[in-house]
Amino acid sequence: MPDDATPDPYADPIAFGQRMQILRTRRGMSRPVVAGLLGKSPSWVKQLERGDIGMPRLPVVLRIAELLRVRDLSDLTGDQSAPVDLFIGPGHTRLPEVRAAVNALTLGGDREAPPAEHVAARLSKAWTARHKAPNHREVIGELLPGLIRDAQLTVRQADTSAERRAGQAVLSEVYSLSQFFVAYQPDSALLWRVAERGMVAAQESEDPHAIGVAAWLAAQAHRDTGPAHFDAADAMTMEALGYLDRFLPDADDRTTAIAGALQFEAGYTAARRGENGAAWGWWDKANATAARLSPGYYHPITSFSQAIMGAHAVTVAVELRAGGESVRQAVAADTAAIPSRPRLARHRIEEARAYQLDGQAETALATLEKAHKAAPETIRYNGYARRIVLEETESRVPAHRQRAAVLADQLGLLAA
């Protein structure tokens, strides 16, 4: 190995400080920047990385992990015996059924496939049920196996090319619903399998809306894999936007909405990179697209709407680590206009991140309680929410510790 090569952070034995330095360097962040975001001095960061001081307490470790975009805590701590993935939740009880349906070879035998219109109507009802349910993964987890099998069969038994394309469009959006269930589950390979099948079906359908939705979800999957895949997320988003551009002058609300959702995804990825101007520039474009939608329109898959732009502004500010701005956006957002329980809960989590970033720990915990009330399954599977709760269980303020402990119990973090 060359003398100037960067060592592998996963090779043992490497101390916490060394791992932190390697991961910080890979992120392209200087010590003063990291120190400022942690509320510490550059000399403290230097001493920690050199091993002059030991590994800090859990709240600080978790803050470092989020800052460096560490997905598995053991990548930072070096403890490979019990990996803790910060952004993967516990497996849902219906995961095996959904996995089996995705993996099955649906040949159909003598069973007649339902028409594409029939599957599309069931799919629409499934999206509606998801938005209304606090236990939305349980609801769609029950519906998905049958939807997947019937949508696959509809494509297989199509008699004409038009029928096959219509079936592929429905199948693609069934896979889109599947991604909402599989996300944050302990089966990353299944997530990618669903995303790829959704994209293939969308391309076969030649339906602009289906292609846009598949690209929107694939871009998120790339981005959430880590900074090394941000370019892939951007490439997917830009190509989809370029494809949709020709349809927009005469587009209906749902196609316009998926274009707006993709514009916001470009801003989200820019914010994750720390690119302030680009992030807010894309938010402005998405906001202008939202203004073109019919009043009250709410896209059932992406939640894109005029109402959601305030929530999106909170996310951009939080990802840019702008504490004061993120709180200002949280106060300005109209939560009453978000009709989806899981999307409202997700917004509450983003608000909690904003308040914690601004040093308002008690308000952050209170906001997470609101998220739990809106949709317990959303917060249970959200890594950011779990991180905040875990940090506050070690707070110096007894009331904060007690409040966090109750939430930790509700989220299953204290389960043996």
Side-chain angles (χ1 to χ4, degrees):
M1 180 182 289
D3 292 340
D4 60 349
T6 302
D8 186 342
Y10 311 117
D12 292 323
I14 299 180
F16 175 88
Q18 292 174 292
R19 289 172 178 271
M20 178 179 169
Q21 181 176 8
I22 293 165
L23 293 165
R24 173 181 61 77
T25 302
R26 287 186 175 180
R27 285 275 295 158
M29 302 177 74
S30 67
R31 279 177 178 154
V33 167
V34 170
L37 293 172
L38 291 174
K40 303 287 187 179
S41 68
S43 63
W44 181 88
V45 174
K46 182 176 181 180
Q47 290 174 19
L48 181 60
E49 292 183 345
R50 290 177 56 179
D52 295 338
I53 56 178
M55 187 170 71
R57 297 183 64 186
L58 179 62
V60 179
V61 171
L62 290 170
R63 194 174 292 277
I64 293 170
E66 184 191 11
L67 185 63
L68 300 180
R69 301 294 179 193
V70 175
R71 294 187 66 86
D72 190 322
L73 200 59
S74 63
D75 294 344
L76 178 61
T77 63
D79 180 8
Q80 300 296 327
S81 61
V84 179
D85 195 317
L86 297 176
F87 297 93
I88 297 292
H92 195 278
T93 55
R94 293 195 180 273
L95 178 60
E97 301 169 48
V98 175
R99 183 193 293 116
V102 171
N103 292 340
L105 180 61
T106 304
L107 298 177
D110 296 330
R111 188 163 71 90
E112 184 178 353
E117 295 82 0
H118 176 72
V119 181
R122 287 163 55 195
L123 178 60
S124 177
K125 290 181 179 178
W127 282 114
T128 299
R130 176 185 180 272
H131 289 304
K132 290 181 178 179
N135 57 332
H136 49 94
R137 273 189 171 84
E138 176 66 24
V139 169
I140 65 173
E142 181 179 5
L143 299 173
L144 274 172
L147 278 169
I148 293 169
R149 287 190 291 266
D150 285 353
Q152 290 174 340
L153 200 59
T154 296
V155 172
R156 183 173 293 278
Q157 294 185 11
D159 291 326
T160 67
S161 58
E163 288 177 354
R164 180 173 292 275
R165 286 195 299 272
Q168 292 282 20
V170 175
L171 177 59
S172 173
E173 294 188 18
V174 168
Y175 282 132
S176 297
L177 180 63
S178 303
Q179 281 183 254
F180 277 80
F181 177 88
V182 175
Y184 306 113
Q185 297 288 301
D187 193 340
S188 298
L190 180 63
L191 174 64
W192 280 107
R193 193 151 60 249
V194 170
E196 289 168 358
R197 290 186 184 182
M199 179 59 72
V200 170
Q203 290 174 320
E204 291 291 329
S205 77
E206 300 180 5
D207 179 84
H209 178 261
I211 290 172
V213 169
W216 178 76
L217 285 164
Q220 291 185 31
H222 280 297
R223 185 183 60 237
D224 290 347
T225 303
H229 300 270
F230 285 178
D231 287 347
D234 277 337
M236 181 71 68
T237 303
M238 294 304 119
E239 188 169 359
L241 281 171
Y243 173 78
L244 290 173
D245 188 62
R246 75 193 79 168
F247 301 100
L248 293 181
D250 302 312
D252 56 9
D253 278 337
R254 68 175 199 151
T255 302
T256 301
I258 192 58
L262 284 161
Q263 289 168 337
F264 172 69
E265 287 306 309
Y268 194 166
T269 305
R272 290 282 295 270
R273 281 195 171 103
E275 299 171 351
N276 190 301
W280 287 114
W282 279 110
W283 184 91
D284 286 338
K285 290 180 180 179
N287 194 43
T289 300
R292 294 169 48 195
L293 297 171
S294 301
Y297 177 81
Y298 193 86
H299 191 260
I301 302 175
T302 67
S303 293
F304 191 79
S305 57
Q306 295 175 16
I308 210 66
M309 292 312 300
H312 282 339
V314 177
T315 296
V316 169
V318 167
E319 292 295 343
L320 289 170
R321 313 293 298 178
E325 177 63 16
S326 51
V327 168
R328 189 183 73 80
Q329 294 292 350
V331 171
D334 182 8
T335 56
I338 301 176
S340 166
R341 293 186 70 152
R343 188 59 185 86
L344 175 59
R346 167 67 192 280
H347 172 57
R348 292 298 192 193
I349 293 167
E350 295 294 277
E351 286 183 318
R353 294 177 67 197
Y355 287 119
Q356 195 200 38
L357 191 62
D358 198 48
Q360 301 183 44
E362 185 173 5
T363 307
L365 289 173
T367 306
L368 288 180
E369 290 168 351
K370 293 179 182 178
H372 189 268
K373 182 178 180 181
E377 284 193 348
T378 295
I379 184 171
R380 179 178 174 82
Y381 291 91
N382 186 281
Y384 292 118
R386 296 202 307 276
R387 178 190 60 75
I388 293 171
V389 171
L390 284 171
E391 284 191 24
E392 294 307 319
T393 58
E394 294 200 4
S395 170
R396 295 180 180 180
V397 182
H400 292 184
R401 290 199 304 271
Q402 183 177 8
R403 201 167 192 173
V406 172
L407 268 171
D409 186 41
Q410 291 173 333
L411 302 185
L413 296 177
L414 305 182

